[in-house]
Amino acid sequence: MSATVIQGKAFAARLRDRIGDHAHAFEAKTGRKAGLAVVLVGQDPASQVYVRSKAKATVEAGMGSFEFELPADTSEATLLARVAELNANPDVDGILVQLPLPNGLDELKVISAIDPDKDVDGFHVINAGRLCVGQKGFVPCTPLGCLMLLKDLLGDLSGKEAVVIGRSNIVGRPMAQLLVDADTTVTIAHSKTRNLPDVVRRGDIVIAAVGQPEMVRGSWIKPGATVLDVGINRVEAEDGKTRLVGDVAFDEAREVAGAITPVPGGVGPMTIAVLLRNTIVSAYRREGLELAKDAL
Ligand code: NAD
């Protein structure tokens, strides 16, 4: 039987509507908009597209957007000074420096310069540490979006076997931590994992975050499993144009899985929605206001 296709795009749209309501309530209470600052260095076309769609979504949600496009030859000192300015700006609740940075700029140093309490991407080591020890902080947007989709679909995840393929700091590792915190039993697979198909077959939940087009085959999936495909890979199609595919061979996997996200339209739209969510959460925290638990 064919799997349920998880409608991440529609879920993200509903989340963005709720964020919009909270953004308007925030402005009514404080007389200012919640603000997100996005800094782009250089002219990487994919990054430009991301940054512009983030800015558009921010404004659509009723928040303030502060955008900075700096030339590729920007010095580290100039970039750090910009970050310091945004840290000090009371109208800015969230700061995001678009990665990757051009060669010569130290990403760790730049991310470490962001005030952890404005680090809505959740990449600062302080926030990574807070996640590990269960303290309140910011969680990277893509894995948090995946967790929201899983909870919406499955409810209680307790006791399930979860397999996360990929161990990056922005997806795989925080995803695994969130799944442990949700009481699943987690296996983290990576490029050195032996017998990957057998490992993946353990998963009631499979999260693929690898960056290899259609690597995860249908025969690797446990029947009825829930499969979230984080991968975004541009491949050449037969007509010579390019198209986006995930890390999972969707047509094969949907015949075996219980539920699966498509690419595009699955996990991808959750990332920006969660970025807006983290920003509004930051704004409420910074003003000492209550945002109902589980409101977002
Ligand atoms: P990354 O390159 O930092 O990490 C990839 C991980 O995959 C590594 O940990 C590596 O060990 C593992 N890996 C590589 N080859 C493997 C193999 N053959 N078998 C098993 N594991 C293997 O990538 P990332 O930043 O985590 O991103 C992963 C994918 O997710 C990419 O396609 C990226 O474009 C996509 N992504 C999507 C979103 C979104 O918004 N949907 C956000 C971030 C990343």
Side-chain angles (χ1 to χ4, degrees):
M1 213 176 67
S2 211
T4 301
V5 177
I6 301 169
Q7 305 296 337
K9 196 172 171 187
F11 186 94
R14 291 195 296 276
L15 176 58
R16 280 165 61 166
D17 282 349
R18 293 201 302 282
I19 292 163
D21 293 343
H22 290 295
H24 288 115
F26 178 82
E27 189 175 356
K29 281 186 186 129
T30 64
R32 73 168 181 93
K33 287 183 192 291
L36 173 64
V38 178
V39 182
L40 172 65
V41 187
Q43 297 190 320
D44 176 62
S47 294
Q48 281 176 328
V49 171
Y50 285 139
V51 163
R52 284 171 198 159
S53 42
K54 281 168 191 168
K56 186 164 167 271
T58 305
V59 172
E60 278 171 8
M63 299 193 224
S65 174
F66 303 80
E67 296 140 51
F68 302 91
E69 294 203 10
L70 309 180
D73 62 359
T74 298
S75 70
E76 200 164 87
T78 304
L79 179 55
L80 291 172
R82 170 67 66 195
V83 170
E85 228 173 88
L86 296 172
N87 283 342
N89 184 339
D91 291 333
V92 171
D93 300 291
I95 302 170
L96 179 156
V97 177
Q98 183 66 42
L99 302 180
L101 289 172
N103 286 341
L105 295 173
D106 181 342
E107 288 186 357
L108 186 60
K109 194 167 170 190
V110 173
I111 299 302
S112 301
I114 297 173
D115 176 349
D117 294 334
K118 293 189 177 186
D119 167 44
V120 284
D121 246 346
F123 293 168
H124 195 294
V125 288
I126 296 269
N127 282 315
R130 286 171 173 163
L131 175 61
C132 279
V133 298
Q135 280 180 7
K136 210 189 267 185
F138 291 110
V139 176
C141 302
T142 303
L144 183 53
C146 288
L147 185 75
M148 287 179 179
L149 289 177
L150 287 173
K151 286 196 165 166
D152 181 61
L153 185 77
L154 302 172
D156 183 14
L157 306 183
S158 174
K160 293 189 186 297
E161 289 277 346
V163 178
V164 179
I165 321 172
R167 56 178 165 181
S168 71
N169 289 337
I170 63 169
V171 189
R173 282 170 205 256
M175 185 75 249
Q177 187 65 49
L178 287 171
L179 285 165
V180 169
D181 293 345
D183 297 328
T184 70
T185 302
V186 184
T187 304
I188 306 177
H190 47 76
S191 54
K192 300 288 186 288
T193 296
R194 293 190 191 144
N195 302 324
L196 185 60
D198 287 342
V199 172
V200 174
R201 247 175 244 123
R202 287 186 211 151
D204 302 310
I205 294 167
V206 176
I207 313 281
V210 184
Q212 300 280 343
E214 301 181 321
M215 184 190 82
V216 178
R217 311 309 309 186
S219 60
W220 301 13
I221 305 295
K222 178 176 177 175
T226 300
V227 180
L228 265 53
D229 190 351
V230 179
I232 303 177
N233 308 289
R234 194 167 282 283
V235 296
E236 201 159 309
E238 282 157 15
D239 58 7
K241 293 187 183 153
T242 61
R243 67 187 180 101
L244 291 182
V245 298
D247 291 340
V248 179
F250 181 82
D251 289 338
E252 289 176 19
R254 75 179 301 183
E255 295 306 318
V256 191
I260 184 167
T261 55
V263 176
V267 171
M270 289 302 291
T271 300
I272 290 184
V274 176
L275 176 69
L276 302 178
R277 179 236 174 240
N278 283 354
T279 304
I280 198 77
V281 167
S282 172
Y284 272 76
R285 272 183 202 158
R286 293 184 61 251
E287 295 291 346
L289 294 170
E290 229 11 78
L291 185 61
K293 197 175 176 288
D294 299 329
L296 292 170

